[in-house]
Amino acid sequence: RRCCGADSLSTPAHPPPAPMTTETRTAAAGPSRTAPVADPLEQKTLHIFVSRALQKILREAPKKYTELRKACIEVIEELKAVGDGQLPAEADLAAPSPTGPTPSAAQLQQAAAGAEAAAAVEAEEGGAGAEAAAILSPAPSGREPATPSFSSPDHDADPDGTAAAAARMALDDVAPVPGTDRYFVPLRLACESKLPRIMEVSLHCIQKIIAYGYVRGKVAGEKPFVDVVMETICSCKDEEDKEVQLQIVQAVNTAVTSAVTAVHDTTLLLAVKTCFYIYLVSKNGTIQKTANATLTQMLDVVFARLESPGASSMAQKDAFLVFRSLCKLSMKPLPEPLPADDSIELRSKLLSLQLLYSIIASSGERFRGGEKFVWAIRQYLCLSLLKNGVSPIPAILQLSLDIFVTLIKYFKAHLKSEIGVFFSNILLRILESSNSSGPQKRLTIQALRVLVAEPQLMVDLFLNYDCDLEGKGIFTSMCDGLSRLTLTLQALSETTEQDAQLKQLALETLVAIADSMVAWERDVKAEGAGAAVTPVGQRPPSIADSSSVSMVGPEPSPVHRGGGEAAGEAGQSPGGGEAGGEVTAVVASRESVDFEAMFHRKHEVHEGVIKFNMKPKRGIRYLREVCGLEDTPQAVARFLRETDGLDKRAVGDYLGEGEDFCKQVLYAYVDSIDFANLTFDQALRRFLTHFWLPGEAQKIDRMMEKFAERYCSQNEGVFANADTAYVLAYSLIMLNTDAHSSQIKKKMTQQEFVNMNRGINDSGDLPTPFLESLYQAITTNEIKIKEMMEHERRAAAASNDAARTSRSKLFNLESAIMVKESQELFKAKARKRAVYHSSRNVEHARPMFEACWCALLASWSTIMEERYDDAVPVELVALVMRGFANAVHIAAEFGMATERDAFVTMLAKYTYLDSGKTMGGRNIEAFKTILSLALTDGDHLGGAWAQVLKCLSEFQRLHMIGTGAKTDASIFFPAARAGANGAAGLPPPGAPGLVSPPSGRLTARQQSILIQPARVRNSSKDAEVEAVNSATMVDSVDVVAIDRIFSGSAQLNADAIVEFVTHLCAVSREELDAAGDPQVYSLQKIVEVAYYNMSRVRLVWARIWEVLSEFFAEVGQHPNLSIAMYAVDSLRQLATKFLEREELLNYQFQREFLKPFQDLMGAAKSVEVRDLILVCLGHMVQSRARSIRSGWSSLFGVLSLAAADPLSSVAKAGFDLARDTVREHFALIGDHHAEGVSCN
């Protein structure tokens, strides 16, 4: 057997060409051609390789191979004649070509060792060569898209083609080393001998010749010499000897990766297919790994040439052809039933997907931005992903998802429509399907987790799909789908263990979403970003880019008008065919896009769709008033036709209404449908595809009347008039119901249908064959709307009693529908272009969180509500707590009060601090998370401080129980003091010991009062539970972190500190109002917080004191005298501290600060409280008289109230204080003498 072009390699009759010098060989790279001159060293090196190989071949070749032996002898004799009767010595070897020799087999094996060898098998296979050949041969397909033209290079590389033409001429015009073509004849014959040992020697020699750059120029017939050599090498691929296969792989790799040897076009494809073939048919695992590594290396070289400066059009064409061939290989269907893991079909698909992934992942800017390659991805790779993305074989699905994720990262700007279709129709439906297997769901979730780990990419997905008025909300649907997975009680996979793994993986992905949102928000703020979205040119943005790539979008529907993109024309493929969606150059613009408004508008439209499905007229009214739907029949008709999610029954009911406006909508709706050149039954099917016929005869009558009019106007001459079409349409609807209803036992016959329609064509008959064809079309193919077909498919898929094997078959059916629908969407979007946005505006995190917070909260709550604590791994609890913390951070940062309070409330609930339930590890972690949030996000907690502070109060109570401290009840209720808490030594209520010395510090006994916030439970069961919980809290929580919350209040911003104090006062009220079980913990903390924040600017302090003064005035009137007196003493401490600050003239801060004493003096009913107020003021006058300025006004106001007190003891105490004040500090009173006189 001879290879192609072998006849042209016979020994020429003319003498060899003149030797070629280095200078002339260099000049040959130019436009002009010069005669080649032999390089003596090159020629001698070639002679050494050939002579050694031919001598080995002669020794191994049997005598019956006369032609081979004769050719070898002739060449050897010729070489001896050149060398004066001796063969050349190896010492005369020249250096190899500039690229160096090809890697050895050992090096290739070492390179492949680290790579995945998923298809490496050792099993014997019969007929492997035939199967591999069938796989690698091109399969007949439908209409092939036009191949892009590569006649000219890229616009940014060698625009005039001079460099490319010169480079090609340099390789094609250089003649071979003299004699190479003659010396190749015996090597070719050796390859054709089918003797493994001889073939190995010959291939090794050929590989050496290629490595040294001696295969160049053209041979007889103007065919490139390298093409002839490659055909000879590749013709040996059927040989099963592993040494021969190894030599083939080495030789092919050397030729393709050489910078001297020009392997292009079909020869390059032949080389790739040869290595692919050897990988498939080889029975040796080492050869398979080597072939795999060689393929990877060759493709790296091919696509590296594409990215090199000045890349020629030939380099583009080579890359395109290889890429397209691999895509087609990956699309070849697998046989049924599914093949074994070591089958050639499966290994072929896996290898092609692996190579495609390698190309996409390592691609450069020319590949990612070139129109030709984007077109190829859209035409071939996207179709491959559709078919392989629903594969039940995990390895295929894994590779498909890896490619898809990589496409999103690098080609998202070019493939916006395709990404949206694949996401919504493949990935999310795998998650939702009850028939998809556990591994399919697991791999899909893992792919989603990889995507959401890229913060910018996740934000881009939200902006481009969830904020696209005409697109499906990918981000929202993904979060909802993952959340449903964690919440479902139905089996998700084959085993319970797999179900648990899937739920945990879904939880981890949702937490990763929150992680990415926080990371993105912090990164953007660190950059000082917040700029508007800006479109850029053709370069696809990286994940970190702050840009948007603009493409013309479709005309928006009426309900979206005003927020959608402008209309655009269909795009053209690089080869002239239609292939829309390509990136177009745009002018950079700083005009911002209000994504939040678009998101809310889309949400409003969704609400309108829901209302329409319930009450059509009410829904249309809502869409007009809220969503801006134009009040025209054409706009409403377009909305009914183009909006997803509408209930087809509701559409039919609305179109059939008798009101004038509804009739006009019906007419506009029907007029928007094209019935031209359709048969009557086809037109009726198209008409009834988008809605259900209503049940009322009058509504049906109006619809059929308009349908008939429209059909006849577009298909003149089919019927005599519209009445004929009207009657026939009614007949077909009746026939459809009769033929396909299970309730009708006696079916209408064909003759009865023909007879029923006689005389309807303007008193004439329609042709009988025409009516019979209509009868057959309707009875054999029921008229169904898309929603009905989808409902039937889901009903079949949801049959819970089906066996697992049948579920697999159901998913195959389901996946076929998914792929078909996706292909239809690809075609529908082929002429549409869109705008891809990539933003760094931090405000976009707000609508993102608004879209997903419910799903996050619901899924994370399942872990915290698990019945048994031991059933939840510790690391999973920590993961969920991180999610809660991230969610609270995002909600707090953007002022989303409802969302923030929801998460904090749930966290507080899961602490079990006041629930009567036994606490576990999860509850401790929830409390620690609350502490962390209070320390890190205190500025933005707002109303959530109430839950945080209440948890701190409950913790302190349990902490006191755990440490055996005394209770507040033993202090404030004398009856309780005789109990086991040992509080008998404390002063009774109203004792002067409650008043601190003038220094403002508390005595040791008073300090003991402030640290007794324990609550006594009535039932013994509660006491037992709290004893256990208190021990758990004491051992697990660091109280220093709690103290830092209050001491750190000085670092809160102005609004936050006011919120903090307000809610701290509210919690204190709850503690103090507990009947029989009061606490002073929060009251103590109020005093501490006031101390920490007294140094704030006076305007902020005035806001704080406005809250505190009202609180102290209220608590000072508490019915429990001990509590009231404690509040007055706390107020005295703060006043004494505040008076340390000097007040300038004409300011009134002291007066406002001391005003609570005046309010209490007038409102307090307790004599003890009034007496205590006078004692407190006396201490302040004695210790801080020199600091008092405007405070004299409030002090004399208190003394005036005391003078008017009906009790003489109070009046006398007030008079004594006033007399002593005037006597001792008269000079300090200043302008307040009149007030001092009046109180006396």
Side-chain angles (χ1 to χ4, degrees):
R1 189 177 58 177
R2 292 179 176 269
C3 65
C4 179
D7 293 337
S8 64
L9 295 176
S10 57
T11 303
H14 55 80
M20 184 177 185
T21 64
T22 304
E23 291 76 8
T24 55
R25 186 165 58 250
T26 303
S32 62
R33 300 189 181 187
T34 58
V37 180
D39 186 328
L41 186 56
E42 272 189 349
Q43 198 166 19
K44 187 172 291 187
T45 303
L46 174 62
H47 293 172
I48 292 173
F49 291 151
V50 173
S51 62
R52 295 294 182 265
L54 295 184
Q55 289 182 74
K56 293 180 181 179
I57 292 174
L58 274 177
R59 289 195 298 267
E60 297 288 343
K63 293 183 179 180
K64 64 178 182 179
Y65 290 86
T66 55
E67 185 179 3
L68 171 59
R69 294 179 64 85
K70 179 181 177 182
C72 291
I73 293 172
E74 288 177 355
V75 173
I76 291 175
E77 292 299 327
E78 180 181 342
L79 294 177
K80 287 182 179 180
V82 173
D84 297 329
Q86 294 182 354
L87 292 175
E90 294 187 9
D92 298 327
L93 284 174
S97 65
T99 58
T102 188
S104 64
Q107 291 173 321
L108 287 174
Q109 294 169 18
Q110 182 179 3
E116 294 184 4
V121 293
E122 300 286 347
E124 296 286 335
E125 294 190 45
E131 294 179 32
I135 291 173
L136 294 176
S137 62
S141 58
R143 180 179 177 267
E144 180 75 11
T147 302
S149 172
F150 293 94
S151 58
S152 61
D154 279 343
H155 66 281
D156 57 346
D158 189 23
D160 58 359
T162 305
R168 184 65 184 174
M169 185 179 294
L171 292 174
D172 289 345
D173 291 354
V174 177
V177 177
T180 307
D181 52 351
R182 298 193 305 277
Y183 304 154
F184 183 70
V185 173
L187 297 177
R188 174 181 58 79
L189 294 173
C191 290
E192 295 176 352
S193 67
K194 300 306 177 184
L195 297 175
R197 178 58 185 160
I198 295 177
M199 295 174 68
E200 178 189 351
V201 174
S202 177
L203 290 169
H204 181 71
C205 181
I206 294 174
Q207 185 261 334
K208 286 291 185 181
I209 295 174
I210 296 173
Y212 276 74
Y214 301 153
V215 177
R216 62 195 185 213
K218 296 182 178 180
V219 294
E222 291 299 312
K223 187 170 187 178
F225 189 19
V226 66
D227 291 355
V228 178
V229 173
M230 290 299 296
E231 288 170 358
T232 300
I233 297 172
C234 296
S235 66
C236 303
K237 67 180 185 299
D238 292 319
E239 179 56 48
E240 297 181 0
D241 184 81
K242 66 178 183 179
E243 297 299 331
V244 174
Q245 292 177 338
L246 185 60
Q247 289 298 332
I248 295 173
V249 170
Q250 283 186 303
V252 169
N253 183 64
T254 302
V256 173
T257 59
S258 173
V260 178
T261 305
V263 179
H264 297 298
D265 210 343
T266 56
T267 305
L268 175 62
L269 287 182
L270 179 62
V272 172
K273 289 183 178 181
T274 298
C275 288
F276 209 103
Y277 180 90
I278 291 176
Y279 171 84
L280 294 179
V281 302
S282 177
K283 302 171 184 178
N284 184 279
T286 302
I287 299 298
Q288 294 175 8
K289 293 179 182 179
T290 305
N292 193 340
T294 301
L295 280 169
T296 303
Q297 185 176 357
M298 288 194 301
L299 295 184
D300 288 345
V301 170
V302 170
F303 286 89
R305 290 171 181 167
L306 172 67
E307 301 297 333
S308 62
S312 65
S313 60
M314 182 59 71
Q316 299 178 47
K317 185 175 182 180
D318 289 344
F320 177 87
L321 292 176
V322 171
F323 182 77
R324 184 180 65 176
S325 297
L326 291 174
C327 289
K328 290 183 176 180
L329 281 174
S330 68
M331 284 189 282
K332 286 187 175 291
L334 296 176
E336 291 290 344
L338 293 178
D341 292 344
D342 58 353
S343 66
I344 286 182
E345 296 88 353
L346 179 56
R347 292 169 57 223
S348 171
K349 185 177 285 288
L350 288 174
L351 180 58
S352 58
L353 289 172
Q354 288 173 6
L355 296 175
L356 285 171
Y357 173 73
S358 176
I359 292 172
I360 298 296
S362 60
S363 59
E365 291 297 325
R366 291 183 185 274
F367 185 85
R368 297 175 190 172
E371 293 184 3
K372 305 174 182 66
F373 299 105
V374 172
W375 179 83
I377 290 173
R378 185 177 290 117
Q379 292 290 336
Y380 300 108
L381 186 56
C382 288
L383 182 58
S384 173
L385 291 181
L386 284 183
K387 295 180 177 180
N388 294 311
V390 294
S391 174
I393 300 176
I396 294 177
L397 180 58
Q398 175 71 73
L399 285 168
S400 301
L401 293 175
D402 289 344
I403 295 173
F404 176 68
V405 170
T406 310
L407 281 180
I408 292 180
K409 289 182 179 180
Y410 298 136
F411 295 88
K412 53 185 180 291
H414 303 278
L415 305 174
K416 180 177 179 179
S417 298
E418 288 78 7
I419 290 171
V421 171
F422 191 88
F423 229 113
S424 58
N425 276 35
I426 303 297
L427 293 187
L428 298 182
R429 285 173 67 170
I430 289 177
L431 289 184
E432 297 171 357
S433 175
S434 58
N435 296 315
S436 58
S437 66
Q440 286 176 312
K441 287 187 171 70
R442 174 177 56 81
L443 293 173
T444 301
I445 298 174
Q446 287 176 346
L448 296 178
R449 186 175 179 182
V450 172
L451 286 175
V452 302
E454 297 282 356
Q456 184 63 49
L457 179 57
M458 188 183 68
V459 174
D460 292 349
L461 288 177
F462 173 77
L463 297 181
N464 287 281
Y465 299 99
D466 293 69
C467 298
D468 185 350
L469 299 176
E470 296 187 349
K472 292 187 177 180
I474 285 178
F475 177 77
T476 305
S477 300
M478 175 179 64
C479 294
D480 292 342
L482 292 171
S483 181
R484 282 193 293 269
L485 268 181
T486 63
L487 297 173
T488 184
L489 299 178
Q490 298 179 352
L492 298 174
S493 60
E494 292 75 10
T495 64
T496 306
E497 291 76 10
Q498 286 187 6
D499 285 0
Q501 292 174 0
L502 285 176
K503 291 186 176 183
Q504 179 171 343
L505 190 58
L507 279 171
E508 292 173 354
T509 306
L510 290 171
V511 174
I513 290 174
D515 289 343
S516 292
M517 292 178 66
V518 172
W520 186 81
E521 175 256 338
R522 288 174 175 167
D523 287 346
V524 174
K525 283 189 173 180
E527 296 171 1
V533 182
T534 56
V536 298
Q538 291 192 358
R539 184 185 65 84
S542 65
I543 295 175
D545 280 348
S546 173
S547 58
S548 74
V549 178
S550 179
M551 296 178 285
V552 183
E555 183 182 356
S557 64
V559 73
H560 298 147
R561 193 163 291 161
E565 305 298 338
E569 298 179 356
Q572 296 294 320
S573 72
E578 294 177 353
E582 299 166 24
V583 180
T584 59
V586 295
V587 180
S589 171
R590 301 300 297 179
E591 183 180 357
S592 62
V593 180
D594 192 349
F595 288 103
E596 187 168 1
M598 294 172 66
F599 173 75
H600 289 146
R601 187 179 183 86
K602 184 174 182 178
H603 179 72
E604 291 169 354
V605 173
H606 179 68
E607 289 294 322
V609 169
I610 295 176
K611 292 180 182 295
F612 178 88
N613 292 339
M614 298 174 64
K615 297 286 185 180
K617 292 183 181 179
R618 185 180 301 173
I620 293 296
R621 184 166 59 252
Y622 173 87
L623 289 165
R624 288 174 183 164
E625 297 172 354
V626 178
C627 304
L629 178 64
E630 295 180 16
D631 192 13
T632 63
Q634 292 75 18
V636 176
R638 186 179 176 190
F639 169 79
L640 297 179
R641 281 203 63 196
E642 298 181 358
T643 305
D644 293 332
L646 293 177
D647 186 342
K648 304 308 180 184
R649 293 181 178 84
V651 174
D653 287 339
Y654 184 81
L655 292 175
E657 291 292 338
E659 298 178 6
D660 290 341
F661 185 80
C662 293
K663 289 181 180 179
Q664 294 175 9
V665 173
L666 171 65
Y667 297 159
Y669 187 94
V670 178
D671 287 340
S672 67
I673 305 175
D674 184 16
F675 299 130
N677 301 319
L678 295 179
T679 63
F680 191 72
D681 66 297
Q682 291 174 343
L684 186 60
R685 289 180 192 278
R686 177 174 293 186
F687 178 58
L688 299 178
T689 295
H690 304 288
F691 64 89
W692 289 78
L693 277 175
E696 298 181 21
Q698 292 180 346
K699 294 183 177 181
I700 298 176
D701 180 78
R702 282 189 286 270
M703 291 180 173
M704 293 301 104
E705 183 179 12
K706 178 58 183 176
F707 165 74
E709 183 269 337
R710 174 68 172 170
Y711 182 82
C712 291
S713 66
Q714 290 191 299
N715 298 273
E716 297 180 0
V718 177
F719 302 112
N721 49 48
D723 289 335
T724 305
Y726 167 77
V727 175
L728 187 57
Y730 247 116
S731 298
L732 291 182
I733 293 173
M734 293 173 58
L735 176 62
N736 187 71
T737 304
D738 178 273
H740 301 285
S741 174
S742 59
Q743 299 179 354
I744 300 177
K745 304 302 179 183
K746 185 180 179 181
K747 306 295 183 181
M748 182 186 302
T749 65
Q750 179 172 293
Q751 188 59 44
E752 289 173 341
F753 176 76
V754 173
N755 294 337
M756 182 176 65
N757 291 283
R758 293 190 184 279
I760 65 172
N761 193 23
D762 196 16
S763 300
D765 292 341
L766 291 170
T768 300
F770 172 71
L771 294 175
E772 290 176 347
S773 66
L774 291 178
Y775 178 88
Q776 294 298 327
I778 298 299
T779 55
T780 56
N781 185 11
E782 181 183 2
I783 298 177
K784 295 181 180 180
I785 67 169
K786 292 182 178 180
E787 190 174 83
M788 181 189 298
M789 293 186 287
E790 176 71 11
H791 175 74
E792 292 177 354
R793 180 185 63 79
R794 291 185 179 274
S799 55
N800 293 325
D801 56 346
R804 176 52 55 184
T805 53
S806 63
R807 285 187 180 277
S808 173
K809 294 179 180 178
L810 284 173
F811 182 76
N812 290 339
L813 297 175
E814 189 177 353
S815 62
I817 296 175
M818 290 158 57
V819 173
K820 183 178 179 181
E821 290 177 354
S822 300
Q823 288 178 304
E824 292 175 354
L825 286 173
F826 278 177
K827 294 177 182 178
K829 296 176 181 292
R831 297 188 177 186
K832 294 183 179 180
R833 296 184 179 184
V835 176
Y836 188 88
H837 300 282
S838 182
S839 175
R840 299 291 285 176
N841 188 337
V842 71
E843 290 298 322
H844 295 152
R846 186 199 315 274
M848 276 187 70
F849 189 74
E850 185 179 344
C852 68
W853 75 271
C854 289
L856 300 180
L857 182 60
S859 61
W860 295 339
S861 297
T862 59
I863 296 299
M864 303 306 295
E865 293 175 355
E866 184 72 33
R867 182 176 179 183
Y868 301 105
D869 191 69
D870 295 339
V872 183
V874 176
E875 60 274 10
L876 190 57
V877 174
L879 186 76
V880 170
M881 288 300 103
R882 191 175 81 225
F884 267 100
N886 287 334
V888 173
H889 172 80
I890 290 293
E893 280 288 329
F894 294 99
M896 305 172 73
T898 301
E899 294 83 350
R900 176 201 62 210
D901 294 347
F903 279 95
V904 176
T905 300
M906 295 303 291
L907 270 178
K909 170 187 172 182
Y910 295 139
T911 61
Y912 286 4
L913 282 170
D914 196 26
S915 64
K917 300 178 182 179
T918 303
M919 298 174 67
R922 291 173 298 169
N923 313 113
I924 299 296
E925 292 300 321
F927 182 70
K928 289 181 179 179
T929 303
I930 287 180
L931 297 184
S932 176
L933 288 170
L935 292 170
T936 58
D937 293 286
D939 280 341
H940 308 287
L941 284 181
W945 272 117
Q947 292 293 336
V948 175
L949 295 170
K950 190 170 183 179
C951 286
L952 298 183
S953 173
E954 293 296 331
F955 165 77
Q956 187 66 12
R957 180 179 59 79
L958 289 179
H959 189 267
M960 291 298 101
I961 295 175
T963 56
K966 303 168 186 177
T967 64
D968 287 346
S970 65
I971 302 298
F972 296 108
F973 289 88
R977 289 182 296 166
N981 292 331
L986 296 178
L994 283 173
V995 181
S996 300
S999 65
R1001 296 183 179 180
L1002 299 176
T1003 65
R1005 177 171 293 184
Q1006 290 164 348
Q1007 289 178 1
S1008 68
I1009 295 176
L1010 299 180
I1011 59 172
Q1012 315 298 326
R1015 180 173 300 169
V1016 178
R1017 299 301 181 186
N1018 295 326
S1019 68
S1020 59
K1021 181 179 180 181
D1022 286 343
E1024 293 175 0
V1025 171
E1026 289 194 342
V1028 174
N1029 290 346
S1030 62
T1032 303
M1033 296 294 281
V1034 169
D1035 295 337
S1036 305
V1037 179
D1038 182 11
V1039 294
V1040 176
I1042 297 177
D1043 293 337
R1044 291 210 317 270
I1045 293 175
F1046 295 100
S1047 62
S1049 63
Q1051 307 302 321
L1052 296 176
N1053 62 39
D1055 293 331
I1057 186 60
V1058 175
E1059 287 276 3
F1060 182 85
V1061 171
T1062 300
H1063 293 292
L1064 185 57
C1065 291
V1067 172
S1068 181
R1069 288 187 182 95
E1070 291 184 14
E1071 291 180 351
L1072 298 175
D1073 289 343
D1077 191 14
Q1079 290 183 195
V1080 293
Y1081 172 74
S1082 295
L1083 180 57
Q1084 174 197 10
K1085 293 303 178 184
I1086 288 173
V1087 177
E1088 293 181 8
V1089 169
Y1091 278 159
Y1092 294 138
N1093 289 274
M1094 273 188 185
S1095 60
R1096 286 182 179 267
V1097 295
R1098 295 189 181 274
L1099 292 177
V1100 177
W1101 173 251
R1103 294 174 61 191
I1104 297 173
W1105 187 246
E1106 183 181 358
V1107 177
L1108 293 180
S1109 61
E1110 181 183 351
F1111 170 76
F1112 281 114
E1114 177 184 342
V1115 177
Q1117 306 173 55
H1118 198 279
N1120 188 315
L1121 183 59
S1122 298
I1123 293 175
M1125 298 182 70
Y1126 187 87
V1128 173
D1129 184 68
S1130 299
L1131 182 60
R1132 178 202 58 78
Q1133 297 176 56
L1134 294 176
T1136 303
K1137 181 69 176 177
F1138 184 79
L1139 290 176
E1140 293 178 359
R1141 302 179 61 184
E1142 182 180 0
E1143 183 183 67
L1144 300 177
L1145 292 175
N1146 299 322
Y1147 283 92
Q1148 306 295 321
F1149 290 113
Q1150 289 183 358
R1151 186 184 68 179
E1152 294 299 324
F1153 195 92
L1154 297 178
K1155 193 173 184 299
F1157 287 105
Q1158 186 176 352
D1159 295 339
L1160 270 176
M1161 193 65 187
K1165 298 180 180 179
S1166 171
V1167 178
E1168 291 82 354
V1169 171
R1170 298 201 296 273
D1171 284 340
L1172 182 59
I1173 291 173
L1174 294 175
V1175 173
C1176 291
L1177 292 179
H1179 277 273
M1180 281 190 286
V1181 171
Q1182 293 176 21
S1183 60
R1184 295 286 184 268
R1186 293 188 177 277
S1187 301
I1188 299 176
R1189 296 288 186 273
S1190 63
W1192 290 114
S1193 178
S1194 297
L1195 187 146
F1196 286 131
V1198 171
L1199 295 180
S1200 298
L1201 292 173
D1205 196 278
L1207 290 178
S1208 59
S1209 59
V1210 175
K1212 184 178 184 306
F1215 177 78
D1216 293 342
L1217 178 58
R1219 182 193 60 203
D1220 295 342
T1221 300
V1222 173
R1223 180 184 300 169
E1224 298 176 10
H1225 307 290
F1226 183 80
L1228 301 175
I1229 294 176
D1231 297 336
H1232 300 282
H1233 290 95
E1235 298 175 3
V1237 171
S1238 66
C1239 72
N1240 287 297

